[in-house]
Amino acid sequence: MSPFDHFISSFDEGIKKQDLQKLTLSNYKGPESELKNVYIKLVLIKRELMLSFVYRYKTKDVTKNFNSSDALATILNLTEFKGFRNISLQRTNEILHFQRNKKGDWMERRENVKEETFVNLLHDKQKERKITDLSKPYLQSLNLTDASGKVYKNAQDKWKQINHYIEVLSSSLVELPKDKKLNIVDMGAGKGYLTFALYDYLKSSLQQDVLVNGVEFREDLVEFCNQVAKDSAFDDLHFVQGTIENYKPEEKVDVLIALHACDTATDDAIYKGLQDESALIVVAPCCHKQVRRELEKFKAKNELVFMLKYGIFLERHAEMLTDSIRALVLEYYGYETRVMQFISDQHTPKNVMIVGLKKEVNPNKQTQILEKLKSIQEYFGIGYHHLVRLCGLDR
């Protein structure tokens, strides 16, 4: 058997036995100047065994998935004379190296593996969860886990959302001051899923001294959450009945959170955080009606007006404008601002999160932002933006 025939045989056997660790193609001599390597591994995608190809270019990676027959055909094409000249095939018990010389002949070298390893067929790398102790009482009270600490099947999406929320905020939370007890307000706390998780993470993982208040309009949810907090011995977590507009904190707010506050309620929340110069402001906006009404009212004539005759584009246009202006206002007041996806858009299209971390105010940048805000509103025909008006930046 020739070395290359041996490679094909071992590759095929590695798929059948599912002990193929990885396959690496290197020493590329083909026409694609940016292509460096191809990395191949077994994966399970929707319960079907596939091979994942990662094409490593100089500035990017491209991933393609193939079934076994198409994978072999692709490898044969990639390893032609004007292609990859080195192949490294690793299985759980051996590593085979194949090299093509200048004459086009393949040579083989075998390497024993000192310790057999497990083949992970999961397509996605499993993320490290920030909330690790699933036995805590609040998780059971919120119907996320059973008595043994196992996440209920119908709570999997909510559990992923909670962990992603903490993951997104974790890099900002570690920058909060450590020399004081932080006053954190979560406006529109609902049933408290994210409020409880945030409190748990700050107290248990970061050892941060905090007082957390969840603000919720529905009195029955407030009573429920306070009972869960008491049963969980979360002594510095409290829920109060009220609205974002009317809530008046007893002390300066260090961290302000408002998730899915409807329309201008998000602006009201941001404004409260700006007034207190909060160290961290986090909002996930919802229902961008105010700016949409402005767009419909003034109907500005510009190069983008052709899009606005479609209702769905008008809605998205209003969302992007509203939140972009909110981000600019935060930057005006010295916040390092990030805009990111909060949760997967397969669950809800309202998935944007704006995170502002308080830094130094830059007067030169403030002047530039004021000019930009004015030009944006004129260009798009926005008579006013609620947050801009609250802050007095439209004068």
mmCIF file of all heavy atoms in Angstrom, residues 1 3 23 63 78 102 105 109 153 184 208 222 232 292 301 303 313 329 340 345-346 362 367 376:
data_model
loop_
_atom_site.group_PDB
_atom_site.id
_atom_site.type_symbol
_atom_site.label_atom_id
_atom_site.label_comp_id
_atom_site.label_asym_id
_atom_site.label_seq_id
_atom_site.Cartn_x
_atom_site.Cartn_y
_atom_site.Cartn_z
ATOM 1 N N MET A 1 0.850 -1.199 0.000
ATOM 2 C CA MET A 1 0.000 0.000 0.000
ATOM 3 C C MET A 1 0.886 1.250 0.000
ATOM 4 O O MET A 1 1.804 1.370 0.813
ATOM 5 C CB MET A 1 -0.922 0.007 1.231
ATOM 6 C CG MET A 1 -1.887 1.191 1.292
ATOM 7 S SD MET A 1 -2.904 1.206 2.792
ATOM 8 C CE MET A 1 -3.923 -0.251 2.534
ATOM 9 N N PRO A 3 1.998 5.228 0.576
ATOM 10 C CA PRO A 3 1.749 6.117 1.725
ATOM 11 C C PRO A 3 0.420 6.879 1.609
ATOM 12 O O PRO A 3 -0.308 7.005 2.599
ATOM 13 C CB PRO A 3 2.943 7.072 1.685
ATOM 14 C CG PRO A 3 4.034 6.270 1.059
ATOM 15 C CD PRO A 3 3.352 5.419 0.023
ATOM 16 N N LEU A 23 -7.092 16.634 11.572
ATOM 17 C CA LEU A 23 -6.323 16.484 10.347
ATOM 18 C C LEU A 23 -5.846 17.875 9.953
ATOM 19 O O LEU A 23 -6.646 18.812 9.865
ATOM 20 C CB LEU A 23 -7.191 15.878 9.246
ATOM 21 C CG LEU A 23 -6.544 15.669 7.871
ATOM 22 C CD1 LEU A 23 -5.446 14.627 7.964
ATOM 23 C CD2 LEU A 23 -7.595 15.221 6.855
ATOM 24 N N THR A 63 -15.012 28.610 7.642
ATOM 25 C CA THR A 63 -15.416 27.269 8.059
ATOM 26 C C THR A 63 -16.443 26.696 7.097
ATOM 27 O O THR A 63 -17.415 27.366 6.744
ATOM 28 C CB THR A 63 -16.004 27.297 9.480
ATOM 29 O OG1 THR A 63 -15.034 27.830 10.384
ATOM 30 C CG2 THR A 63 -16.395 25.899 9.934
ATOM 31 N N LEU A 78 -7.474 19.356 -2.441
ATOM 32 C CA LEU A 78 -6.553 20.244 -1.737
ATOM 33 C C LEU A 78 -5.128 19.736 -1.710
ATOM 34 O O LEU A 78 -4.179 20.521 -1.547
ATOM 35 C CB LEU A 78 -7.044 20.459 -0.288
ATOM 36 C CG LEU A 78 -8.305 21.293 -0.091
ATOM 37 C CD1 LEU A 78 -8.800 21.180 1.349
ATOM 38 C CD2 LEU A 78 -8.047 22.763 -0.437
ATOM 39 N N LYS A 102 9.476 16.975 -4.032
ATOM 40 C CA LYS A 102 9.450 17.776 -5.247
ATOM 41 C C LYS A 102 9.076 16.952 -6.479
ATOM 42 O O LYS A 102 8.608 17.498 -7.474
ATOM 43 C CB LYS A 102 10.806 18.448 -5.449
ATOM 44 C CG LYS A 102 11.123 19.502 -4.392
ATOM 45 C CD LYS A 102 12.460 20.152 -4.653
ATOM 46 C CE LYS A 102 12.769 21.215 -3.597
ATOM 47 N NZ LYS A 102 14.087 21.867 -3.833
ATOM 48 N N ASP A 105 6.115 12.492 -5.057
ATOM 49 C CA ASP A 105 5.916 11.246 -4.309
ATOM 50 C C ASP A 105 5.648 11.538 -2.832
ATOM 51 O O ASP A 105 6.238 12.463 -2.252
ATOM 52 C CB ASP A 105 7.156 10.351 -4.433
ATOM 53 C CG ASP A 105 7.441 9.961 -5.870
ATOM 54 O OD1 ASP A 105 6.472 9.743 -6.614
ATOM 55 O OD2 ASP A 105 8.640 9.907 -6.246
ATOM 56 N N ARG A 109 5.549 8.987 7.855
ATOM 57 C CA ARG A 109 6.225 8.804 9.139
ATOM 58 C C ARG A 109 5.162 8.647 10.217
ATOM 59 O O ARG A 109 4.191 9.402 10.265
ATOM 60 C CB ARG A 109 7.122 10.005 9.446
ATOM 61 C CG ARG A 109 7.819 9.949 10.817
ATOM 62 C CD ARG A 109 8.862 11.047 10.921
ATOM 63 N NE ARG A 109 8.259 12.365 10.777
ATOM 64 C CZ ARG A 109 7.730 13.057 11.795
ATOM 65 N NH1 ARG A 109 7.699 12.524 13.036
ATOM 66 N NH2 ARG A 109 7.216 14.255 11.586
ATOM 67 N N LYS A 153 -35.823 21.451 31.118
ATOM 68 C CA LYS A 153 -35.744 21.517 29.659
ATOM 69 C C LYS A 153 -36.388 22.784 29.120
ATOM 70 O O LYS A 153 -35.856 23.434 28.209
ATOM 71 C CB LYS A 153 -36.421 20.283 29.046
ATOM 72 C CG LYS A 153 -36.245 20.172 27.545
ATOM 73 C CD LYS A 153 -36.844 18.873 27.019
ATOM 74 C CE LYS A 153 -36.658 18.763 25.512
ATOM 75 N NZ LYS A 153 -37.207 17.480 24.978
ATOM 76 N N ILE A 184 -26.819 49.471 43.380
ATOM 77 C CA ILE A 184 -27.200 49.015 42.051
ATOM 78 C C ILE A 184 -28.717 49.002 41.939
ATOM 79 O O ILE A 184 -29.407 48.469 42.808
ATOM 80 C CB ILE A 184 -26.636 47.605 41.769
ATOM 81 C CG1 ILE A 184 -25.108 47.647 41.833
ATOM 82 C CG2 ILE A 184 -27.107 47.083 40.413
ATOM 83 C CD1 ILE A 184 -24.452 46.285 41.681
ATOM 84 N N GLN A 208 -17.981 41.322 45.670
ATOM 85 C CA GLN A 208 -18.251 42.759 45.653
ATOM 86 C C GLN A 208 -19.328 43.094 46.681
ATOM 87 O O GLN A 208 -20.366 42.426 46.738
ATOM 88 C CB GLN A 208 -18.715 43.175 44.259
ATOM 89 C CG GLN A 208 -19.045 44.641 44.116
ATOM 90 C CD GLN A 208 -17.819 45.522 43.928
ATOM 91 O OE1 GLN A 208 -17.023 45.296 43.040
ATOM 92 N NE2 GLN A 208 -17.668 46.503 44.803
ATOM 93 N N VAL A 222 -43.230 41.997 42.860
ATOM 94 C CA VAL A 222 -42.382 42.579 43.902
ATOM 95 C C VAL A 222 -42.445 41.727 45.168
ATOM 96 O O VAL A 222 -41.418 41.396 45.774
ATOM 97 C CB VAL A 222 -42.816 44.030 44.211
ATOM 98 C CG1 VAL A 222 -42.061 44.575 45.439
ATOM 99 C CG2 VAL A 222 -42.568 44.925 43.003
ATOM 100 N N SER A 232 -33.532 33.007 50.176
ATOM 101 C CA SER A 232 -32.176 32.716 49.691
ATOM 102 C C SER A 232 -31.106 33.383 50.543
ATOM 103 O O SER A 232 -29.911 33.247 50.243
ATOM 104 C CB SER A 232 -32.032 33.201 48.243
ATOM 105 O OG SER A 232 -32.992 32.606 47.396
ATOM 106 N N ARG A 292 -39.484 57.043 15.586
ATOM 107 C CA ARG A 292 -40.233 56.616 14.399
ATOM 108 C C ARG A 292 -41.321 57.642 14.063
ATOM 109 O O ARG A 292 -41.524 57.973 12.888
ATOM 110 C CB ARG A 292 -40.854 55.241 14.623
ATOM 111 C CG ARG A 292 -41.739 54.809 13.450
ATOM 112 C CD ARG A 292 -42.154 53.376 13.506
ATOM 113 N NE ARG A 292 -43.039 53.046 12.382
ATOM 114 C CZ ARG A 292 -43.302 51.817 11.978
ATOM 115 N NH1 ARG A 292 -42.755 50.794 12.586
ATOM 116 N NH2 ARG A 292 -44.115 51.608 10.966
ATOM 117 N N LYS A 301 -35.880 64.596 3.176
ATOM 118 C CA LYS A 301 -35.469 64.205 1.830
ATOM 119 C C LYS A 301 -33.955 64.021 1.812
ATOM 120 O O LYS A 301 -33.193 64.987 1.834
ATOM 121 C CB LYS A 301 -35.880 65.288 0.809
ATOM 122 C CG LYS A 301 -37.375 65.592 0.786
ATOM 123 C CD LYS A 301 -38.192 64.364 0.387
ATOM 124 C CE LYS A 301 -39.682 64.695 0.347
ATOM 125 N NZ LYS A 301 -40.507 63.495 0.035
ATOM 126 N N GLU A 303 -30.628 60.779 0.795
ATOM 127 C CA GLU A 303 -30.304 59.627 -0.048
ATOM 128 C C GLU A 303 -30.888 58.318 0.459
ATOM 129 O O GLU A 303 -30.935 57.321 -0.270
ATOM 130 C CB GLU A 303 -28.777 59.485 -0.177
ATOM 131 C CG GLU A 303 -28.108 60.611 -0.938
ATOM 132 C CD GLU A 303 -27.772 61.789 -0.037
ATOM 133 O OE1 GLU A 303 -28.263 61.805 1.105
ATOM 134 O OE2 GLU A 303 -27.028 62.677 -0.491
ATOM 135 N N PHE A 313 -38.457 48.394 7.307
ATOM 136 C CA PHE A 313 -37.201 49.136 7.251
ATOM 137 C C PHE A 313 -37.301 50.434 8.047
ATOM 138 O O PHE A 313 -36.329 50.864 8.672
ATOM 139 C CB PHE A 313 -36.821 49.440 5.802
ATOM 140 C CG PHE A 313 -36.363 48.221 5.032
ATOM 141 C CD1 PHE A 313 -36.376 48.230 3.650
ATOM 142 C CD2 PHE A 313 -35.931 47.089 5.683
ATOM 143 C CE1 PHE A 313 -35.956 47.119 2.927
ATOM 144 C CE2 PHE A 313 -35.519 45.962 4.985
ATOM 145 C CZ PHE A 313 -35.538 45.973 3.600
ATOM 146 N N VAL A 329 -24.826 60.222 23.219
ATOM 147 C CA VAL A 329 -25.060 61.010 24.427
ATOM 148 C C VAL A 329 -24.225 60.466 25.588
ATOM 149 O O VAL A 329 -23.631 61.239 26.360
ATOM 150 C CB VAL A 329 -26.564 61.029 24.785
ATOM 151 C CG1 VAL A 329 -26.785 61.673 26.158
ATOM 152 C CG2 VAL A 329 -27.362 61.776 23.723
ATOM 153 N N MET A 340 -23.968 45.976 21.654
ATOM 154 C CA MET A 340 -23.756 44.560 21.323
ATOM 155 C C MET A 340 -25.085 43.809 21.297
ATOM 156 O O MET A 340 -26.122 44.331 21.719
ATOM 157 C CB MET A 340 -22.818 43.915 22.339
ATOM 158 C CG MET A 340 -23.399 43.831 23.734
ATOM 159 S SD MET A 340 -22.150 43.637 25.006
ATOM 160 C CE MET A 340 -21.523 45.315 25.094
ATOM 161 N N ASP A 345 -31.205 36.678 18.153
ATOM 162 C CA ASP A 345 -32.376 37.227 17.492
ATOM 163 C C ASP A 345 -33.379 36.157 17.070
ATOM 164 O O ASP A 345 -34.431 36.468 16.540
ATOM 165 C CB ASP A 345 -31.982 38.081 16.286
ATOM 166 C CG ASP A 345 -31.070 37.346 15.326
ATOM 167 O OD1 ASP A 345 -30.958 36.115 15.446
ATOM 168 O OD2 ASP A 345 -30.475 38.013 14.462
ATOM 169 N N GLN A 346 -33.054 34.885 17.319
ATOM 170 C CA GLN A 346 -34.053 33.854 17.057
ATOM 171 C C GLN A 346 -35.125 33.858 18.141
ATOM 172 O O GLN A 346 -36.211 33.321 17.957
ATOM 173 C CB GLN A 346 -33.403 32.475 16.979
ATOM 174 C CG GLN A 346 -32.951 31.909 18.315
ATOM 175 C CD GLN A 346 -32.244 30.579 18.162
ATOM 176 O OE1 GLN A 346 -31.222 30.452 17.521
ATOM 177 N NE2 GLN A 346 -32.812 29.561 18.761
ATOM 178 N N ASN A 362 -14.197 64.458 27.845
ATOM 179 C CA ASN A 362 -13.273 65.117 26.924
ATOM 180 C C ASN A 362 -13.991 66.304 26.277
ATOM 181 O O ASN A 362 -14.851 66.109 25.422
ATOM 182 C CB ASN A 362 -12.803 64.125 25.860
ATOM 183 C CG ASN A 362 -11.775 64.714 24.919
ATOM 184 O OD1 ASN A 362 -11.772 65.907 24.633
ATOM 185 N ND2 ASN A 362 -10.888 63.867 24.421
ATOM 186 N N THR A 367 -17.677 68.781 22.020
ATOM 187 C CA THR A 367 -18.011 69.732 20.945
ATOM 188 C C THR A 367 -18.319 69.001 19.651
ATOM 189 O O THR A 367 -19.283 69.317 18.950
ATOM 190 C CB THR A 367 -16.837 70.711 20.736
ATOM 191 O OG1 THR A 367 -16.573 71.412 21.944
ATOM 192 C CG2 THR A 367 -17.166 71.713 19.632
ATOM 193 N N ILE A 376 -27.151 64.974 12.572
ATOM 194 C CA ILE A 376 -27.935 63.742 12.448
ATOM 195 C C ILE A 376 -29.424 64.058 12.468
ATOM 196 O O ILE A 376 -30.197 63.573 11.635
ATOM 197 C CB ILE A 376 -27.582 62.743 13.574
ATOM 198 C CG1 ILE A 376 -26.184 62.144 13.344
ATOM 199 C CG2 ILE A 376 -28.616 61.612 13.646
ATOM 200 C CD1 ILE A 376 -25.686 61.304 14.493
#
